[in-house]
Amino acid sequence: MRIVTDTGRCVGAGQCALTEPRVFDQSDEDGTVVLLTDRAEGDTLTNVREAIDLCPSQALSLEED
């Protein structure tokens, strides 16, 4: 699965980085989401799905490969 972010919608809440720090980080400048990888599988995918559900601005999504 490919992870997609919309930095224009991101409000910098940081729930994604707290939920899956192997995939998500935050910009030092404005706190918006930074992807460390754009692919997820296995346990990481489970955590990415949780991060998507927790995102208050709905700035995260998944796309099928």
Side-chain angles (χ1 to χ4, degrees), residues 4-63:
V4 179
T5 61
D6 183 345
T7 56
R9 293 186 78 166
C10 181
V11 296
Q15 294 302 308
C16 55
L18 292 171
T19 303
E20 185 47 81
R22 295 174 293 184
V23 174
F24 303 106
D25 199 357
Q26 289 182 270
S27 166
D28 289 335
E29 292 178 17
D30 61 4
T32 57
V33 64
V34 173
L35 274 182
L36 302 177
T37 181
D38 69 347
R39 303 270 182 230
E41 58 186 41
D43 290 341
T44 301
L45 180 56
T46 300
N47 291 344
V48 167
R49 289 184 193 278
E50 182 178 350
I52 290 169
D53 289 342
L54 292 172
C55 180
S57 61
Q58 299 177 344
L60 307 172
S61 61
L62 288 171
E63 289 184 355

